[in-house]
Amino acid sequence: MAVPLSLGRVQTSVFMISAVLISYQVLLVKLFSIQYWYHFAYLIISIALLGFGASGTFILLFRKKLLHRFSEILFFVPLLLMSSIWINLYLNRLIAFNPQMIIWQPYEILRLVYLSLSLLIPFLLGATAIGISLTAMPEHIHSIYFANLTGSGMGSLIVLMSFFHVTPHGMMLVMSIILFGASLSVSGNATRKFTACILMVAMFPLYMFFLRHIPPPMSPNKDLVQAENLMGARKEVEIFGPLGLTTVVGSPAYHYLPDMSLNCPYPLPQQKGLFVDGNTVGAIHEASRRLDNMHVMDYRTNALAYKLLSNPDVLIIGGGAGTEILNARYHGARTISVVEMNRDIVRLMQGPYREFAGDVYHPEQTRVFTEEGRGFLHRTDQRFDLLHINLLESMGSASAGVYAVSENYLFTTEAFMICLDRLKPGGILSVSRWIKNPPRDNIKLMAMAVEAVEKHGKNHPARSIIMIRSWQTATLLIKNGAFQQGDIDTVRRFSKSRLFDVSYYPGIEERETNVFNKLAKEHFYLAAMQLLSPDRDAFYSMYPFHVKPATDDSPFFSHSLKIHMLKQYIGSFDRDWLPFMDWGYILVWVIVCILFLFGMVFILFPIPFTLRNAQGLPATFVYFGALGLAYMFLEISIMQQFIRYLYDPVFSACIVIGSFLVYSGIGSLMAGKTAGMKPKRLQRAIVVIVIMGVVFLTSDRWLQDILSGLSLWKRMMVCSLLIAPLAVPMGLPFPSGLDRLTPDRPELIPWAWGINGFFSVMGTAGTLLIAIGWGFKAVVVLALCFYILSALVFKGLRSGFSDEKF
């Protein structure tokens, strides 16, 4: 059947729709991180992307009708997609899903389903437009797939860079304009062009007078919402940036200093709450007067290190609201260096809150480095007396397991070893964490300290570690050397006078622990004894939580749940413990199961109605499913690896996602220049993918050392070029598979599109689960195995392949 649209116009439409889909996906991750928490954003997006798989089934069932109206579909779908994006802005508020009540109120599950279905619609519409283009023009599959990938790549770059300058609703307006352009690019008559132009003009006043003033919704359980309910609370500043929504709330009733002693005789100064994405990251202290009024700083567990050091050179990782800068000043630090990656926080502390906070970020008194902490540690050659890692998460979020599926490259054994390298002889690393019940984080922290000191090779961990605790936080000190008896006496006096409990110091006896802030048993002392004994591995296996140290290969410090122990937890503890069982991780498994069941329905349902000829079905299923899994496995794993090169997750996502898609699009275009991809040619491409995958697996440390001396822009450019040899051949297998189906089974093209989309979603969730259990290197190895499998199955995509000349 003749298609009235030229290839160039179809490519333009597909390019723009693809750019909007990836932009909307990234924007949703950010919006749902604000509205809920990071792991819920991830799960909801995974469900929404099921729309890509569902689009294949939809096209397969209604293929003839859709092809008959191909030009109309490409014109109207962008307009419907634009409308659904804005309607979802309203539906997200209307549904009002409360994730923390899902255990107690079953109807919250229904709200999650409703919310997920509403998110499914835009992705279903956009993927249908792309899928029907591939189906309608099979002779141009490579060119259309090139437009799809490069459009997605450019979209990811645009939206990620836009976070520096544009609000979420402003980005939605930009996406709407792009979608109008997609409709105009395929409008075949004046009426359609006039309709699109009228709608575009109407969008601007709608946005200016209504849409742009709608604040992002937020869960009632977020710290910010609770702070706004305090007496006299007022939201003073709110800034949206690449690292989230930064908010300052003022209230005379706001008080926050989690490691303060219960017998502190001094009042807290006036404070203002500082929040990012609605989660507490600290309090801005009123310090415009003399520092000798800040006596409260001496009644904190974080003051202990200053009792053991005299006028230290201090490095603070995570400056936040400046509490630890005040702590260092109060205790007479010689020099203070601060690393804070959120530029919006730095601007606030150096701008409107400069005088109120005592000018803690003043460049003459504090050296400020606006970058990620791990990256600064890797590239600096300076040594410090005290290195303090700040506590920048809220108690409620940490206890609820919100961060269980979030990677953190500052809390790994390798990171602690770098910290020890940046300490002078006798220097101290100080780290504080919330005390969770049942205990897990601080035990894992101690395990990381023990293994880092051992691998560092200069000291014995039993002589280099001290831990004290207040009623809700614990502070761990790790010395680049051995604590002496004088240090131990100081720790005893300091803790006793402030009612802090000592959990471990060299030579401690159990009777000295659990004196003031009593626990059922002193878990931290007992854990220290096991960790410092030859039975450490047995302790890791026996302990009911996962407390084995996090590593760069599996950087999930807050993950602690052992799945096989879940039944025992529920049976052993009161039901009130259930919200504290790392539900972020559990829900990933739940969603994976739901995705698998729904995906199988979408994929298998149309077979008896439209695919009565079973020839080629198994090969098609395996081939395109393996490609979907393998591509996402490699892309996400490389993105995690590049965080350690670029020192920033935003830049890593920007460079990796954009580069992978653009280079893969180039690979697809290159494959289309040949007269059909032969099995041996595809096998050569797979060999290149495997070789490059092995190179990335084995050259991690070498690349990190080489790149650390380059400027940010040079690192970004080099990282993008490093991706090219891997990503270009990754663009060949998918369009080549579709091209191979075209002569004999063209009706399988939309089905293959749906299979690939569905397994791409499974690959996103699967990467996380595999990396938590076995590490990202295992994910890469598995991806390479899937690519090898696809090469073996490729010949089976076409009947009569035995007659083909290689």
Side-chain angles (χ1 to χ4, degrees):
M1 135 183 188
V3 178
L5 295 176
S6 67
L7 174 61
R9 296 169 72 183
V10 172
Q11 282 184 294
T12 302
S13 177
V14 168
F15 180 92
M16 292 183 173
I17 292 172
S18 301
V20 168
L21 286 179
I22 195 71
S23 300
Y24 187 50
Q25 177 186 346
V26 176
L27 180 60
L28 277 178
V29 171
K30 183 61 67 176
L31 287 175
F32 278 99
S33 295
I34 296 172
Q35 186 171 358
Y36 303 112
W37 286 275
Y38 173 76
H39 69 281
F40 278 99
Y42 169 83
L43 298 176
I44 292 172
I45 292 301
S46 295
I47 294 174
L49 286 176
L50 187 61
F52 276 85
S55 70
T57 301
F58 178 74
I59 295 170
L60 187 60
L61 292 173
F62 303 100
R63 180 169 170 266
K64 292 183 178 179
K65 293 182 179 179
L66 294 173
L67 289 175
H68 183 67
R69 298 181 175 274
F70 176 52
S71 61
E72 296 177 31
I73 290 170
L74 283 194
F75 174 77
F76 285 108
V77 161
L79 301 179
L80 294 173
L81 175 56
M82 180 270 297
S83 302
S84 66
I85 288 174
W86 287 106
I87 290 172
N88 272 343
L89 188 66
Y90 169 74
L91 291 178
N92 291 344
R93 296 173 176 275
L94 181 66
I95 295 171
F97 168 59
N98 188 343
Q100 288 193 323
M101 295 303 294
I102 199 169
I103 304 168
W104 314 107
Q105 299 177 351
Y107 63 78
E108 292 294 344
I109 298 176
L110 288 177
R111 288 182 174 175
L112 176 61
V113 172
Y114 296 151
L115 186 60
S116 301
L117 289 175
S118 71
L119 294 173
L120 181 98
I121 301 302
F123 294 96
L124 175 62
L125 288 169
T128 298
I130 300 169
I132 195 61
S133 299
L134 293 168
T135 305
M137 307 180 75
E139 69 278 11
H140 299 297
I141 281 176
H142 295 275
S143 299
I144 294 173
Y145 191 57
F146 165 75
N148 170 224
L149 290 179
T150 53
S152 298
M154 294 304 297
S156 65
L157 292 172
I158 291 169
V159 72
L160 285 167
M161 299 306 294
S162 296
F163 282 137
F164 290 95
H165 308 289
V166 185
T167 66
H169 296 150
M171 279 185 268
M172 292 174 70
L173 177 63
V174 172
M175 285 186 274
S176 298
I177 294 172
I178 294 173
L179 289 172
F180 282 124
S183 287
L184 287 172
S185 69
V186 293
S187 57
N189 54 61
T191 302
R192 289 183 181 177
K193 291 180 180 178
F194 180 75
T195 302
C197 290
I198 290 295
L199 290 174
M200 184 166 61
V201 171
M203 172 59 63
F204 284 95
L206 182 64
Y207 167 76
M208 293 297 296
F209 296 106
F210 175 68
L211 298 175
R212 72 169 181 154
H213 297 296
I214 301 177
M218 196 169 288
S219 167
N221 294 321
K222 283 273 185 135
D223 300 331
L224 174 58
V225 176
Q226 297 176 22
E228 289 181 299
N229 292 328
L230 294 173
M231 178 188 67
R234 183 174 66 90
K235 187 183 294 183
E236 297 182 354
V237 176
E238 193 161 74
I239 303 171
F240 180 80
L243 295 181
L245 186 70
T246 303
T247 310
V248 178
V249 172
S251 167
Y254 186 83
H255 301 291
Y256 182 84
L257 196 61
D259 65 327
M260 187 175 70
S261 167
L262 289 175
N263 74 335
C264 178
Y266 304 104
L268 278 170
Q270 181 185 352
Q271 295 179 319
K272 297 179 185 292
L274 180 65
F275 307 85
V276 174
D277 288 346
N279 300 311
T280 302
V281 295
I284 305 174
H285 298 262
E286 198 283 316
S288 57
R289 294 170 291 176
R290 293 169 55 88
L291 278 176
D292 55 15
N293 292 321
M294 301 294 293
H295 298 301
V296 68
M297 293 296 165
D298 206 39
Y299 281 76
R300 305 173 57 214
T301 60
N302 281 340
L304 175 58
Y306 294 99
K307 303 300 179 182
L308 304 176
L309 299 167
S310 178
N311 304 115
D313 293 314
V314 179
L315 172 64
I316 300 168
I317 304 293
T323 300
E324 296 312 322
I325 303 176
L326 289 173
N327 193 24
R329 285 191 187 178
Y330 177 84
H331 287 99
R334 183 185 299 108
T335 63
I336 305 172
S337 302
V338 177
V339 179
E340 172 54 59
M341 69 182 299
N342 192 326
R343 295 179 184 273
D344 293 326
I345 291 178
V346 174
R347 291 190 186 105
L348 286 174
M349 301 304 295
Q350 292 180 337
Y353 293 96
R354 177 176 179 176
E355 182 178 349
F356 178 86
D359 205 4
V360 292
Y361 276 79
H362 194 288
E364 293 182 3
Q365 299 175 339
T366 305
R367 294 190 306 162
V368 181
F369 301 92
T370 310
E371 58 182 281
E372 192 268 338
R374 173 72 180 269
F376 176 81
L377 289 171
H378 194 85
R379 72 172 182 81
T380 187
D381 56 2
Q382 188 176 354
R383 300 295 183 266
F384 303 90
D385 298 303
L386 174 61
L387 199 164
H388 178 80
I389 298 178
N390 207 354
L391 177 64
L392 293 177
E393 63 184 37
S394 68
M395 177 60 175
S397 298
S399 297
V402 165
Y403 302 106
V405 295
S406 298
E407 64 280 354
N408 188 337
Y409 285 99
L410 195 57
F411 281 86
T412 67
T413 302
E414 293 88 344
F416 275 29
M417 291 171 64
I418 295 175
C419 289
L420 290 173
D421 280 337
R422 300 300 175 263
L423 292 175
K424 298 176 183 178
I428 294 175
L429 169 64
S430 175
V431 187
S432 294
R433 300 292 298 180
W434 296 100
I435 294 176
K436 294 181 183 179
N437 284 309
R440 48 219 194 258
D441 273 23
N442 287 291
I443 294 176
K444 181 180 285 193
L445 187 70
M446 190 178 294
M448 285 168 48
V450 169
E451 295 203 7
V453 172
E454 284 182 347
K455 292 179 179 179
H456 195 244
K458 298 180 180 180
N459 304 289
H460 193 283
R463 300 291 303 172
S464 301
I465 294 173
I466 288 175
M467 178 180 279
I468 67 171
R469 61 178 177 85
S470 65
W471 66 283
Q472 65 176 354
T473 65
T475 296
L476 178 70
L477 303 185
I478 311 169
K479 188 171 185 177
N480 185 17
F483 287 107
Q484 305 301 316
Q485 188 59 45
D487 298 327
I488 294 171
D489 293 339
T490 300
V491 171
R492 286 171 171 166
R493 289 193 300 269
F494 176 84
S495 300
K496 184 177 181 180
S497 64
R498 290 157 177 79
L499 304 185
F500 294 141
D501 285 285
V502 182
S503 295
Y504 178 79
Y505 62 74
I508 193 172
E509 297 182 9
E510 188 172 3
R511 59 182 175 81
E512 300 178 76
T513 66
N514 208 21
V515 176
F516 303 111
N517 306 282
K518 286 188 173 290
L519 301 172
K521 63 171 72 172
E522 182 56 58
H523 298 280
F524 308 114
Y525 165 80
L526 297 174
M529 294 299 102
Q530 292 291 321
L531 292 170
L532 293 167
S533 75
D535 299 327
R536 186 187 309 163
D537 290 335
F539 172 73
Y540 290 150
S541 301
M542 170 193 71
Y543 199 71
F545 291 94
H546 180 81
V547 293
K548 197 168 184 178
T551 65
D552 282 353
D553 192 37
S554 184
F556 302 96
F557 174 79
S558 296
H559 165 64
S560 59
L561 181 65
K562 292 181 177 179
I563 287 292
H564 69 275
M565 296 294 290
L566 182 60
K567 183 178 179 180
Q568 179 178 330
Y569 298 157
I570 295 175
S572 301
F573 296 114
D574 187 83
R575 186 175 169 84
D576 291 340
W577 289 113
L578 292 180
F580 305 101
M581 304 308 294
D582 288 355
W583 283 100
Y585 179 64
I586 294 173
L587 282 173
V588 173
W589 275 105
V590 172
I591 295 300
V592 165
C593 294
I594 293 174
L595 283 173
F596 183 78
L597 292 174
F598 275 91
M600 287 299 100
V601 170
F602 282 128
I603 291 171
L604 300 179
F605 172 74
I607 291 178
F609 301 99
T610 58
L611 301 174
R612 293 181 175 85
N613 182 359
Q615 185 179 12
L617 296 188
T620 302
F621 182 87
V622 173
Y623 181 80
F624 289 97
L627 290 181
L629 289 171
Y631 194 98
M632 296 309 300
F633 281 177
L634 275 181
E635 182 182 61
I636 297 175
S637 298
I638 298 299
M639 183 171 66
Q640 291 295 328
Q641 182 174 333
F642 277 32
I643 289 176
R644 301 195 300 278
Y645 304 162
L646 298 171
Y647 311 146
D648 190 305
V650 175
F651 286 127
S652 177
C654 172
I655 293 301
V656 174
I657 295 175
S659 298
F660 257 96
L661 292 169
V662 171
Y663 288 135
S664 296
I666 294 172
S668 173
L669 195 62
M670 291 170 57
K673 300 298 183 181
T674 64
M677 180 67 70
K678 307 298 184 184
K680 285 192 176 180
R681 292 180 182 173
L682 182 75
Q683 289 167 7
R684 294 190 190 105
I686 299 298
V687 168
V688 174
I689 294 171
V690 171
I691 292 173
M692 290 307 304
V694 173
V695 168
F696 277 108
L697 279 176
T698 56
S699 61
D700 185 16
R701 289 296 170 196
W702 177 76
L703 286 173
Q704 191 169 359
D705 292 338
I706 293 295
L707 293 171
S708 62
L710 302 178
S711 65
L712 174 61
W713 290 107
K714 288 182 179 178
R715 275 184 276 127
M716 291 172 68
M717 185 179 299
V718 172
C719 286
S720 179
L721 293 175
L722 286 172
I723 291 171
L726 175 64
V728 169
M730 286 172 62
L732 273 65
F734 179 76
S736 298
L738 295 182
D739 190 45
R740 194 167 177 82
L741 293 174
T742 300
D744 302 318
R745 301 297 302 277
E747 72 276 11
L748 289 182
I749 291 176
W751 194 59
W753 168 257
I755 291 171
N756 185 262
F758 164 69
F759 277 98
S760 295
V761 180
M762 291 295 294
T764 305
T767 299
L768 180 66
L769 295 176
I770 295 168
I772 288 176
W774 295 282
F776 282 107
K777 289 183 180 179
V779 179
V780 173
V781 171
L782 194 57
L784 300 181
C785 291
F786 278 123
Y787 270 117
I788 293 172
L789 175 63
S790 67
L792 297 175
V793 175
F794 182 69
K795 290 197 299 182
L797 294 180
R798 179 185 294 177
S799 61
F801 62 87
S802 57
D803 296 328
E804 188 175 7
K805 295 187 182 293
F806 298 152

